[in-house]
Amino acid sequence: QQPVQSPQAVILREGEDAVINCSSSKALYSVHWYRQKHGEAPVFLMILLKGGEQKGHDKISASFNEKKQQSSLYLTASQLSYSGTYFCGTEPHDYKLSFGAGTTVTVRA
Amino acid sequence: EAQVTQNPRYLITVTGKKLTVTCSQNMNHEYMSWYRQDPGLGLRQIYYSMNVEVTDKGDVPEGYKVSRKEKRNFPLILESPSPNQTSLYFCASSLSAILAGYNEQFFGPGTRLTVL
């Protein structure tokens, strides 16, 4: 069962911040975040494990609230290179990794 | 170079003509998976394999077959393709079969399939 991502799309100016949310109806072991540039394969950003830890990757960070089965990805001081589609992937208590429908981020100069 | 390769990258075929999309990884990964990507639906898992000879259905397995006879290869077979299988397909692999979510997924470059 796919997690739900919001918003579907966001447009930013360079330097602005954004939050992408991901929620699941199932208890989760982990949450993945990937970014896909147009015409390319998804690329791994980070994994968050149950325990509520927050992780960072440059100025992109994420949190995982396992009780609420939610994760949020934070884009801080966005750069042009942040443009792309962001996918969260959730893993409940099995070996299946389900991805959300994606959030398209456009960063303009 | 560590990578996941897929072939072909582009394929146009007709309804009912059996086809195979190959996937190979050179990282000695245990876990491999196939996804299809459609606009507005994101990535949906078709099948996955935890190791050689161990495969299981993902969320959208209908109309597809897979096999895992060698650790490095995980071909996707469409025995009788239909137009609703027109999509962008990605193969991915990760290090361990134990709770795939603990491991980064490496994606292949994708195969764009059109079924007429």
Side-chain angles (χ1 to χ4, degrees):
Chain A
Q1 191 170 9
Q2 287 185 281
V4 177
Q5 280 187 242
S6 64
Q8 286 185 319
V10 60
I11 299 174
L12 303 166
R13 291 208 176 272
E14 270 187 300
E16 291 183 340
D17 303 339
V19 180
I20 301 170
N21 298 306
C22 174
S23 64
S24 173
S25 59
K26 297 184 178 183
L28 301 174
Y29 266 130
S30 68
V31 177
H32 290 220
W33 286 96
Y34 290 79
R35 180 171 63 203
Q36 184 179 31
K37 301 275 188 178
H38 183 70
E40 299 180 5
V43 173
F44 171 79
L45 291 176
M46 64 191 79
I47 291 175
L48 298 103
L49 308 180
K50 65 176 183 177
E53 66 178 290
Q54 189 155 346
K55 284 200 155 190
H57 175 82
D58 195 10
K59 290 184 179 175
I60 299 175
S61 62
S63 62
F64 177 25
N65 186 325
E66 64 184 271
K67 289 183 180 179
K68 292 186 176 180
Q69 295 143 208
Q70 293 175 346
S71 178
S72 294
L73 186 74
Y74 307 93
L75 307 180
T76 305
S78 57
Q79 307 167 16
L80 294 175
S81 62
Y82 287 4
S83 292
T85 301
Y86 290 77
F87 293 99
C88 70
T90 56
E91 184 188 19
H93 294 252
D94 55 28
Y95 300 100
K96 297 180 183 179
L97 187 60
S98 295
F99 287 92
T103 297
T104 301
V105 173
T106 303
V107 182
R108 294 179 175 165
Chain B
E1 179 189 355
Q3 60 183 346
V4 179
T5 57
Q6 293 178 229
N7 282 293
R9 294 288 312 280
Y10 302 90
L11 180 59
I12 300 174
T13 189
V14 296
T15 300
K17 186 176 181 181
K18 181 180 178 179
L19 65 93
T20 300
V21 183
T22 64
C23 172
S24 184
Q25 49 91 6
N26 62 1
M27 296 171 279
N28 201 35
H29 284 173
E30 289 186 342
Y31 186 95
M32 297 186 74
S33 182
W34 275 102
Y35 299 90
R36 61 177 289 174
Q37 185 173 26
D38 303 289
L41 297 177
L43 293 154
R44 293 180 292 166
Q45 191 176 51
I46 302 170
Y47 270 93
Y48 64 94
S49 169
M50 291 190 286
N51 213 323
V52 175
E53 303 292 2
V54 181
T55 63
D56 205 350
K57 297 177 180 178
D59 294 323
V60 288
E62 295 77 20
Y64 304 94
K65 284 178 58 176
V66 293
S67 68
R68 187 94 180 270
K69 292 184 169 51
E70 303 168 282
K71 197 171 187 178
R72 63 182 296 134
N73 297 322
F74 190 44
L76 179 69
I77 303 158
L78 285 72
E79 297 238 332
S80 185
S82 62
N84 64 11
Q85 292 178 298
T86 293
S87 187
L88 178 59
Y89 291 86
F90 286 102
C91 179
S93 71
S94 60
L95 182 61
S96 172
I98 303 299
L99 292 173
Y102 282 77
N103 299 281
E104 170 187 356
Q105 299 253 315
F106 292 83
F107 284 84
T111 295
R112 188 165 291 281
L113 172 66
T114 301
V115 183
L116 302 175

